[in-house]
């Protein structure tokens, strides 16, 4: 009797599990992200295969996988040089001099930068101050963060947040970083 019960319950679990698995596999929209798909399609259709991209490491993994383009800060290989390059690339999210960002990106061979509004426009959680990527960049530059606590060893930044200021395409942003693509989530700027 125990074996019959065990086999019956096992079969019921397998049939139910297979049914759920089948419905998940046959529904491709379940994991659909239209803004990311649109970005990857734009990159493949509008940039040369030799183009080099700078951006957040988590996004660049997808760029490499989906488009085969070169990355200036590769997310899969960890060493001191790549950490230093990533710190320089992440200045795009800091309150940083656009001339400094431009010089750094050109020095790395970046042709394009991809900005993510989810990083640039993220709101400060009062329970976790200074935990956003943009805050970490500001702190590493010795700048006060937006909405974070006052700290005596930090100074106000002389520049606006790069990723926000660039969206208005005023000088010097427009001449050095023209906007080529945007959707509600991402913006791609050429590095001239």
């Amino acid at each position: 009797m125990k074996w019959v019960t065990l086999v019956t319950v096992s079969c019921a679990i397998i049939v139910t599990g297979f049914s759920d698995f089948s419905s998940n596999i046959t529904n491709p929209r379940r994991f659909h992200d239209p803004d990311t798909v649109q970005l990857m399609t734009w990159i493949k259709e509008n940039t040369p295969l030799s183009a080099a991209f700078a951006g957040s490491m988590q996004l660049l993994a997808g760029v490499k996988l989906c488009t085969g383009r070169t990355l200036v800060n590769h997310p899969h290989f960890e060493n001191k040089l790549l950490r230093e390059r990533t710190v320089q690339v992440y200045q795009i999210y800091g309150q940083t001099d656009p001339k400094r960002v431009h010089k750094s990106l050109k020095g790395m061979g970046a042709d394009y930068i991809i900005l993510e509004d989810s990083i640039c426009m993220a709101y400060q959680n009062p329970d976790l101050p200074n935990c956003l990527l943009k805050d970490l960049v500001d702190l590493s530059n010795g700048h006060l963060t937006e909405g974070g606590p006052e700290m005596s060893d930090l100074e106000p930044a002389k520049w606006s947040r790069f990723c926000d200021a660039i969206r208005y395409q005023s000088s010097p942003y427009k001449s050095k970083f023209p906007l080529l693509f945007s959707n509600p989530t991402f913006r791609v700027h050429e590095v001239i």
Side-chain angles (χ1 to χ4, degrees):
M1 183 66 174
K2 289 180 185 178
W3 290 106
V4 172
T5 304
L6 180 62
V7 169
T8 304
V9 170
S10 296
C11 287
I13 290 172
I14 289 170
V15 168
T16 304
F18 183 76
S19 171
D20 288 345
F21 175 76
S22 295
S23 69
N24 286 336
I25 284 297
T26 59
N27 184 2
R29 298 180 63 79
R30 183 177 189 102
F31 301 105
H32 187 66
D33 179 356
D35 288 348
T36 302
V37 170
Q38 185 183 31
L39 171 68
M40 299 305 167
T41 301
W42 183 88
I43 290 170
K44 287 194 294 189
E45 293 176 355
N46 295 282
T47 65
L49 278 172
S50 61
F53 284 82
S56 71
M57 289 194 309
Q58 65 268 23
L59 178 62
L60 290 184
V63 170
K64 183 67 173 173
L65 178 67
C66 296
T67 71
R69 299 308 191 266
T70 301
L71 311 176
V72 299
N73 56 318
H74 198 285
H76 295 134
F77 301 106
E78 184 61 42
N79 65 40
K80 183 178 179 185
L81 175 63
L82 287 176
R83 283 192 303 270
E84 291 169 356
R85 288 173 74 92
T86 298
V87 167
Q88 291 305 308
V89 168
Y90 279 6
Q91 295 302 314
I92 62 178
Y93 292 110
Q95 298 176 77
T96 312
D97 178 354
K99 291 177 184 172
R100 174 183 167 199
V101 172
H102 184 264
K103 182 179 179 182
S104 177
L105 291 172
K106 287 304 278 184
M108 287 184 252
D111 298 307
Y112 303 91
I113 54 175
I114 305 173
L115 296 169
E116 297 171 72
D117 283 343
S118 62
I119 297 173
C120 183
M121 309 306 282
Y123 291 103
Q124 185 73 254
N125 180 342
D127 296 330
L128 299 169
N130 297 331
C131 287
L132 300 171
L133 174 60
K134 62 184 184 176
D135 296 335
L136 298 175
V137 172
D138 290 341
L139 291 171
S140 72
N141 291 338
H143 298 150
L144 291 169
T145 61
E146 299 168 336
E150 293 278 332
M151 295 183 190
S152 61
D153 58 334
L154 301 176
E155 298 178 2
K158 296 176 184 171
W159 300 96
S160 299
R161 184 158 313 285
F162 180 89
C163 60
D164 188 35
I166 195 174
R167 80 176 56 244
Y168 304 109
Q169 289 288 281
S170 60
S171 183
Y173 301 96
K174 187 174 185 171
S175 62
K176 295 186 184 300
F177 304 100
L179 177 66
L180 300 180
F181 169 85
S182 69
N183 67 23
T185 308
F186 305 106
R187 289 177 281 130
V188 178
H189 295 265
E190 187 173 11
V191 182
I192 303 273

